[in-house]
Amino acid sequence: MVSTVYRNAHHGHCTWHLSQNMKTRCKKKGATEMFLHIAKIYKTFEFDIAYNDFRNRYPEAAQYLDERESLDRWTRAYCPKTSYNIMTTNGVESINARLLEERKLPIIALLDSLQKLASSWFARYRHASIASNTNLTPTIEGNLRSRFTDAQGMQFFELGCLEFDVRSRGHSAIVDLESKRCTCRVFDIDRISCAHAIAASWLAKIDLYDMCSEYYFTMSWCMAYSETVYPVPEENEWPHNINFPLVLPHLLEKRVGTRKQNRIPLIGEFSKR
Ligand SMILES: [Zn+2]
């Protein structure tokens, strides 16, 4: 269903939850930290070297990953789609935590509660985005400024029309400003200029902000929270010309003993099933 509606979406897993599941197979010190580090590597050949090293140090953990997940599900280097550097399930976590009590409520009360929660979040981020005085969202603006500092002192050579060879500390990167790509892959994946692209943009006299994805702009952030989430109206205000289907509850077998309360499983936990 998801792949039908979102045809360009890719099914990935939360690396943090995967790392927690991995602990059931490998509890050696440093395995989680190294796993989280290699999952974020940009270049495939650098990832391959690092994953071989990881496999030698933590064979049980590597076996756990190889048996359950293909590389495109958890590595940045092999992800076939754009990830925009935002890899988090914080929203799911917050809803999970907030619904512990509300989930016991009848459906209308639950919807009311969800509406209040969504409205409060929308208001918080709407106010924050309006108050922001930067072109990009504060975090991304900070990233760009930091990369701008890194770009100082880099050497660059014009190769072709909007293509540059940018060198720093003995390493070379090829930047193509037209396709917004760099051989370091940071520019391609993050959709924010890497330090090499910043140096190249300076030489080409191109505005740095023109090189960033529109999704990172404060205006996009503001628009994302501009919609209103309305409460469920009073029952006597519901339209009367709708034939509501009769929805019967599921036939459930009543279990003996105390009812176990399950939370909604998180993305990484599906692999346990
Ligand atoms: Zn680069």
Side-chain angles (χ1 to χ4, degrees):
M1 177 63 187
V2 173
S3 59
T4 306
V5 178
Y6 300 103
R7 295 185 181 177
N8 293 320
H10 175 66
H11 182 195
H13 290 307
C14 167
T15 47
W16 188 84
H17 285 97
L18 205 52
S19 73
Q20 300 307 298
N21 292 350
M22 196 182 71
K23 283 182 182 174
T24 58
R25 188 70 70 83
C26 174
K27 292 187 168 59
K28 282 184 188 169
K29 197 175 176 189
T32 302
E33 291 75 11
M34 189 170 181
F35 165 76
L36 291 172
H37 168 70
I38 64 173
K40 292 173 182 159
I41 291 175
Y42 286 86
K43 289 183 177 180
T44 50
F45 82 89
E46 284 181 1
F47 170 84
D48 292 341
I49 293 168
Y51 194 38
N52 268 337
D53 187 19
F54 178 81
R55 194 188 300 284
N56 291 333
R57 290 178 194 219
Y58 312 106
E60 307 91 346
Q63 189 182 0
Y64 174 89
L65 294 167
D66 291 341
E67 285 170 0
R68 284 164 178 77
E69 310 297 343
S70 54
L71 293 180
D72 62 308
R73 294 286 173 98
W74 62 272
T75 69
R76 175 182 272 159
Y78 283 100
C79 178
K81 302 287 184 179
T82 307
S83 66
Y84 284 93
N85 197 30
I86 306 293
M87 293 192 281
T88 175
T89 55
N90 286 353
V92 181
E93 292 282 12
S94 300
I95 290 174
N96 252 347
R98 287 293 299 266
L99 290 185
L100 282 178
E101 291 303 315
E102 283 86 346
R103 275 185 300 160
K104 300 170 190 168
L105 298 172
I107 186 69
I108 298 297
L110 174 62
L111 289 173
D112 274 337
S113 176
L114 282 170
Q115 179 271 328
K116 286 190 181 72
L117 180 62
S119 289
S120 68
W121 284 354
F122 271 51
R124 184 196 307 170
Y125 294 117
R126 194 163 49 238
H127 295 160
S129 58
I130 290 169
S132 176
N133 57 4
T134 51
N135 284 333
L136 304 172
T137 59
T139 303
I140 303 302
E141 187 83 27
N143 286 351
L144 196 67
R145 284 171 192 267
S146 167
R147 290 178 187 182
F148 186 84
T149 306
D150 295 340
Q152 307 298 313
M154 285 185 171
Q155 292 181 302
F156 32 77
F157 308 94
E158 191 169 334
L159 296 176
C161 185
L162 297 178
E163 285 183 286
F164 301 86
D165 177 4
V166 182
R167 297 184 184 187
S168 169
R169 295 174 193 156
H171 293 285
S172 169
I174 307 299
V175 180
D176 181 346
L177 292 178
E178 186 167 18
S179 62
K180 298 182 181 176
R181 298 173 75 88
C182 177
T183 49
C184 78
R185 299 198 72 214
V186 174
F187 195 17
D188 318 24
I189 294 175
D190 289 359
R191 305 295 171 111
I192 319 164
S193 300
C194 58
H196 312 113
I198 289 172
S201 299
W202 183 81
L203 186 63
K205 296 183 173 50
I206 291 178
D207 193 322
L208 282 184
Y209 293 115
D210 290 342
M211 293 287 106
C212 295
S213 165
E214 61 181 308
Y215 295 124
Y216 289 129
F217 279 79
T218 299
M219 181 56 75
S220 300
W221 182 28
C222 189
M223 284 170 65
Y225 294 98
S226 63
E227 297 289 334
T228 305
V229 183
Y230 292 102
V232 179
E234 296 290 329
E235 191 170 345
N236 56 15
E237 294 175 35
W238 295 0
H240 296 291
N241 55 351
I242 295 176
N243 292 322
F244 290 106
L246 183 62
V247 180
L248 297 173
H250 284 294
L251 292 172
L252 295 174
E253 208 176 294
K254 194 159 185 180
R255 292 181 184 169
V256 182
T258 313
R259 191 176 171 193
K260 192 182 170 193
Q261 300 228 341
N262 288 322
R263 63 189 178 88
I264 301 167
L266 295 161
I267 298 167
E269 291 172 334
F270 280 113
S271 55
K272 287 182 178 176
R273 302 182 159 207

